Amino acid sequence: MAVTLSTLDTCESSFTPLVVIELAQDVKEETKEWLKNRIVAKKKDGGAQLLFRPLYKCEKETIGNQNLYLVGASNIRLLLGAEAVGLVKECTDSAMRAFTYGTRHSFKGFHDNNDDFLTMAECQFIIKHELENLRARDEKMIPGYPQAKLYPGKSLMRRLLTSGIVTQVFPLHDNEALKKLEDSWYTRFALKYQPIDSIRGYFGETIALYFGFLEYFTFALIPMAVIGLPYYLFVWEDYDKYVIFASFNLIWSTVILEVWKRGCANMTYRWGTLVMKRQFEEPRPGFHGVLGINSVTGREEPLYSSYKRQLRIYLVSLPFVCLCLYFSLYVMMIYFDMEDWVLSLHEDNESVWTSLLLYVPSIVYAIVIEVMNRLYRYAAEFLTSWENHRLESAYQNHLVLKVLVFNFLNCFASLFYIAFVLKDMKLLRQSLATLLITSQILNQAVESLLPYWLQRKHCAAVKKKVQALKVDVDTTLYEQVLLEKEMGTYLGTFDDYLELFLQFGYVSLFSCVYPLAAAFAVLNNFTEVNSDALKMCRVFKRPFAEPSASIGVWQLAFETMSVISVVTNCALIGMSPQVNAVFPESKTDLVLIVVAVEHALLALKFILAFAIPDKPRHIQMKLARLEFESLEALKQQQMKLVAENLKEESQEDRREAT
């Protein structure tokens, strides 16, 4: 018997809670009742047809916050939701196809009594999709809040969040599955591969891709570290011998990025996201404007002039970014004044203390750089939000561009100044080592260790509060929700990729001057894997899974950095005393040869990038096969429609003839 949404039951009193909705403390009862009715209502009536109940039905003074609600769904509802969002699963013939409820038995691992066909991360993603697609019909406002205006087609959950009626929506951890994941991931410190498929099953593809890239990048750094170590120990001042090392670095940076694309294609095909159709992008929650008709969708939604947005970008955002870049350069010059002062102090009075004091300006400057990066990040987020981009993808692209430009200049300007203006290779090595090591220590402390310590203190306070409750109910779920709702919100992989991007810059830009950088990066990344795993599992709320087919704009960022590294390394080798000694009279010849070598290496880099396919041959064949099947299915559907039309026309002709 065919199952439709209209036949599903949404009145189950007991269900597995997947998502928590927290309302503000003073939300009116009529608003709560309206929200509940919209969530549990049938799809044909404009609802989400999900399961919904308060955390506990107890007295307010006994159990505490009564504005916490649990959301779940029946297994059939989740399967129908999987079809709606276009999840791709493996079929019994090993091909990856979009899941449909009607053909569910043709998918590998599916049984009617099997509740594990969809991962918990996929189930929570489906519920998030259904909640976000709850749309206003004929309501003009949210009941009880006349200032929270609605219009047909507006996402109710987004309006509730921007109005402050709903404070947060987050997915719950599965403590049993989390414990298994932790045991195989980071609790036993050992040199081993990460359980990437398990991470994907629990946190989704976006986070699994980050950890996959972190692991791949760490192992890819090992050859650089192994080769760089003897260069550091034995041939430090012989810069002409660094030509081989720098050339290897340039080929290495190209090959690892191209090979990563192939590995990424393998993973995402296996997960189904490589062939998953992209959903039509809705306006982002913070987007505002004058109500009008969208010419693409035909729906009523806020419209905002792109001309006004461009004015905001070029007249406000761009000057502000330039001002921040100037301030960064000003701080850099203060750092060099500190270096000169400390150096003169050491020359006037040489001692152990003044020798140690030589490292203080670099350490202080490294800390200032980290503080400036974080402050600028808040300003960049505010500006990008104020620019009022309609789509989340446009917002992210503008934010990434602002942050990358500032971080690149802030972190590397002093190194370029030392290398090409001061031409002090000893100071360059010292500054590079200090900046790299200090930034790694600060990031480990600020991102993981400090939040984990604060979370442990909060956990102890919640346990005491729960133990003081005198209620005749099992408070395990209540304690879990109370703990998780106060955890920090994971804001995505942006900062994690940014940290790797800057590390890649430290390793590749000045590799011929400080070949030990790769070794320090490897040591940091082995601990980074564990600290990032800790913060995902124990410090932050569980994030909603987001399907991804690649690392996105970061692939382009890393490739751009590798191109810049070609120029810097060629210039540094051309400035070395040994190379200059070959051309004692004609510096023009030296410059021309360095430029020619740089162009040849860039050409080799692009030839390698072109020669190595982004996707393995077997993945290309499978994708071509899927495209052929979809075209054949579309052709058959069109032929069926034509046959039905012809049949109707012939029947109509017979009726006219009689």
Side-chain angles (χ1 to χ4, degrees):
M1 183 182 70
V3 177
T4 61
L5 285 169
S6 60
T7 63
L8 292 179
D9 181 21
T10 57
C11 301
E12 296 182 31
S13 57
S14 177
F15 59 86
T16 301
L18 295 170
V19 173
V20 176
I21 297 177
E22 183 180 12
L23 306 181
Q25 290 288 346
D26 55 350
V27 173
K28 298 174 183 178
E29 288 300 322
E30 63 175 310
T31 309
K32 294 181 182 179
E33 191 62 27
W34 168 79
L35 178 61
K36 175 191 171 183
N37 291 336
R38 288 304 304 267
I39 289 176
V40 302
K42 296 184 182 300
K43 291 283 283 185
K44 62 183 180 65
D45 298 326
Q49 209 157 344
L50 300 173
L51 305 175
F52 182 87
R53 68 172 174 84
L55 180 57
Y56 277 117
K57 295 181 179 178
C58 302
E59 295 299 323
K60 188 173 181 179
E61 61 272 11
T62 306
I63 201 69
N65 192 343
Q66 283 298 292
N67 289 335
L68 291 167
Y69 293 86
L70 305 176
V71 183
S74 65
N75 190 40
I76 295 176
R77 178 68 185 89
L78 290 170
L79 292 173
L80 292 168
E83 180 178 347
V85 300
L87 285 188
V88 175
K89 290 287 189 178
E90 186 178 5
C91 293
T92 51
D93 61 355
S94 298
M96 304 298 295
R97 295 188 179 89
F99 176 81
T100 60
Y101 188 82
T103 60
R104 60 192 182 279
H105 292 290
S106 65
F107 288 87
K108 190 176 289 186
F110 181 85
H111 304 288
D112 286 326
N113 56 353
N114 181 14
D115 293 339
D116 299 329
F117 177 69
L118 299 174
T119 66
M120 191 174 182
E122 289 172 336
C123 294
Q124 290 167 336
F125 170 69
I126 290 166
I127 287 181
K128 173 177 176 276
H129 176 269
E130 295 297 341
L131 290 174
E132 288 182 343
N133 279 276
L134 266 178
R135 302 194 178 278
R137 304 185 90 181
D138 52 0
E139 304 102 326
K140 301 297 181 184
M141 64 176 189
I142 293 175
Y145 295 88
Q147 75 279 9
K149 303 295 184 183
L150 294 174
Y151 52 86
K154 173 66 179 175
S155 171
L156 298 180
M157 194 54 63
R158 294 188 178 191
R159 172 60 76 204
L160 289 165
L161 285 165
T162 53
S163 302
I165 299 168
V166 172
T167 57
Q168 59 178 335
V169 180
F170 62 92
L172 274 174
H173 274 296
D174 180 343
N175 288 329
E176 185 179 343
L178 182 62
K179 184 68 171 64
K180 289 180 181 177
L181 179 61
E182 287 177 313
D183 288 341
S184 63
W185 194 2
Y186 72 91
T187 53
R188 298 184 183 92
F189 187 79
L191 295 178
K192 59 181 181 180
Y193 290 108
Q194 297 178 89
I196 300 297
D197 286 331
S198 299
I199 297 169
R200 177 255 172 180
Y202 193 85
F203 288 111
E205 290 80 14
T206 299
I207 291 171
L209 278 175
Y210 162 70
F211 280 101
F213 182 73
L214 172 59
E215 177 181 88
Y216 171 81
F217 182 56
T218 303
F219 281 108
L221 282 168
I222 292 176
M224 285 291 294
V226 170
I227 295 172
L229 193 59
Y231 270 91
Y232 176 79
L233 295 175
F234 303 118
V235 287
W236 184 249
E237 297 298 337
D238 295 331
Y239 287 95
D240 55 328
K241 296 178 182 177
Y242 281 93
V243 173
I244 299 172
F245 181 74
S247 300
F248 173 78
N249 175 27
L250 302 175
I251 296 170
W252 166 85
S253 63
T254 302
V255 170
I256 66 162
L257 293 174
E258 292 302 316
V259 172
W260 162 253
K261 288 182 188 176
R262 294 169 64 85
C264 180
N266 267 318
M267 279 194 297
T268 52
Y269 179 82
R270 188 172 71 248
W271 296 340
T273 52
L274 187 63
V275 296
M276 190 173 178
K277 290 182 180 178
R278 191 164 61 92
Q279 298 286 319
F280 182 79
E281 207 170 349
E282 298 289 340
R284 52 186 296 271
F287 177 68
H288 58 273
V290 180
L291 279 180
I293 302 298
N294 186 312
S295 57
V296 177
T297 63
R299 291 201 299 243
E300 189 178 29
E301 65 176 51
L303 301 177
Y304 188 77
S305 169
S306 60
Y307 175 71
K308 290 182 181 178
R309 186 180 300 113
Q310 296 300 319
L311 284 178
R312 290 187 174 191
I313 291 172
Y314 290 111
L315 297 184
V316 179
S317 295
L318 184 59
F320 177 80
V321 172
C322 292
L323 183 65
C324 290
L325 295 177
Y326 172 79
F327 181 74
S328 173
L329 294 175
Y330 182 76
V331 171
M332 180 190 75
M333 299 312 296
I334 294 174
Y335 155 65
F336 286 119
D337 290 340
M338 289 174 60
E339 285 282 2
D340 292 339
W341 177 76
V342 170
L343 185 61
S344 63
L345 185 67
H346 176 67
E347 290 173 350
D348 294 341
N349 184 21
E350 286 193 28
S351 66
V352 176
W353 294 109
T354 56
S355 297
L356 293 174
L357 196 63
L358 289 172
Y359 292 93
V360 171
S362 295
I363 294 173
V364 172
Y365 183 51
I367 295 171
V368 170
I369 283 175
E370 289 300 318
V371 172
M372 288 171 63
N373 283 344
R374 293 180 187 278
L375 291 176
Y376 176 81
R377 169 72 187 273
Y378 293 124
E381 286 178 345
F382 173 79
L383 272 179
T384 311
S385 180
W386 177 74
E387 288 166 6
N388 198 28
H389 297 280
R390 179 180 176 272
L391 302 179
E392 184 65 27
S393 59
Y395 171 85
Q396 289 296 333
N397 289 339
H398 281 80
L399 177 62
V400 167
L401 182 61
K402 288 186 184 72
V403 173
L404 281 186
V405 168
F406 180 81
N407 276 255
F408 182 85
L409 186 81
N410 200 30
C411 293
F412 300 118
S414 62
L415 301 178
F416 280 100
Y417 186 81
I418 294 169
F420 301 112
V421 179
L422 301 181
K423 299 181 181 179
D424 187 341
M425 295 302 127
K426 185 177 179 181
L427 180 58
L428 179 60
R429 291 195 295 269
Q430 176 190 313
S431 297
L432 177 57
T434 307
L435 287 173
L436 176 63
I437 296 169
T438 305
S439 66
Q440 289 176 348
I441 293 171
L442 286 175
N443 282 325
Q444 294 276 7
V446 173
E447 289 183 6
S448 300
L449 299 180
L450 179 62
Y452 179 67
W453 178 72
L454 294 172
Q455 184 58 31
R456 287 290 296 271
K457 289 186 68 176
H458 169 68
C459 183
V462 168
K463 285 183 182 295
K464 286 182 181 178
K465 180 179 178 180
V466 172
Q467 288 169 0
L469 292 174
K470 296 180 179 176
V471 291
D472 189 22
V473 293
D474 180 12
T475 56
T476 306
L477 180 61
Y478 175 70
E479 180 182 338
Q480 180 187 351
V481 173
L482 214 61
L483 275 171
E484 292 184 24
K485 83 181 187 71
E486 296 298 334
M487 286 180 169
T489 301
Y490 182 66
L491 299 176
T493 55
F494 184 95
D495 288 329
D496 298 314
Y497 279 119
L498 180 61
E499 186 179 341
L500 288 180
F501 172 76
L502 296 176
Q503 184 188 90
F504 183 65
Y506 286 126
V507 171
S508 62
L509 288 177
F510 304 97
S511 60
C512 65
V513 175
Y514 191 61
L516 206 60
F520 282 118
V522 170
L523 291 174
N524 173 78
N525 288 358
F526 276 125
T527 58
E528 183 79 17
V529 168
N530 291 279
S531 62
D532 282 353
L534 173 69
K535 78 180 181 184
M536 291 305 307
C537 296
R538 293 296 171 186
V539 175
F540 292 115
K541 293 184 187 77
R542 183 179 188 175
F544 280 106
E546 289 293 338
S548 295
S550 68
I551 62 174
V553 69
W554 292 104
Q555 181 78 35
L556 178 61
F558 277 87
E559 289 171 355
T560 304
M561 181 70 83
S562 69
V563 171
I564 297 172
S565 72
V566 173
V567 181
T568 56
N569 280 281
C570 287
L572 285 170
I573 291 171
M575 289 166 52
S576 67
Q578 289 81 3
V579 174
N580 274 265
V582 179
F583 302 91
E585 297 178 357
S586 176
K587 297 299 179 187
T588 305
D589 291 344
L590 173 60
V591 171
L592 290 174
I593 288 174
V594 169
V595 171
V597 170
E598 172 252 328
H599 277 62
L601 288 171
L602 281 175
L604 175 63
K605 181 180 178 62
F606 290 121
I607 289 169
L608 283 172
F610 178 76
I612 302 173
D614 292 350
K615 299 180 182 70
R617 178 65 178 169
H618 69 281
I619 298 293
Q620 294 180 25
M621 294 297 293
K622 289 177 179 178
L623 292 175
R625 178 67 184 173
L626 286 174
E627 186 178 0
F628 171 76
E629 287 180 358
S630 63
L631 289 173
E632 285 296 307
L634 181 62
K635 191 186 297 182
Q636 289 178 7
Q637 189 177 6
Q638 289 174 341
M639 290 175 65
K640 186 178 179 182
L641 287 172
V642 170
E644 288 176 354
N645 290 334
L646 289 172
K647 185 178 179 181
E648 288 176 1
E649 288 176 5
S650 62
Q651 288 175 349
E652 192 172 335
D653 289 342
R654 286 197 203 98
R655 282 195 297 269
E656 289 176 358
T658 55

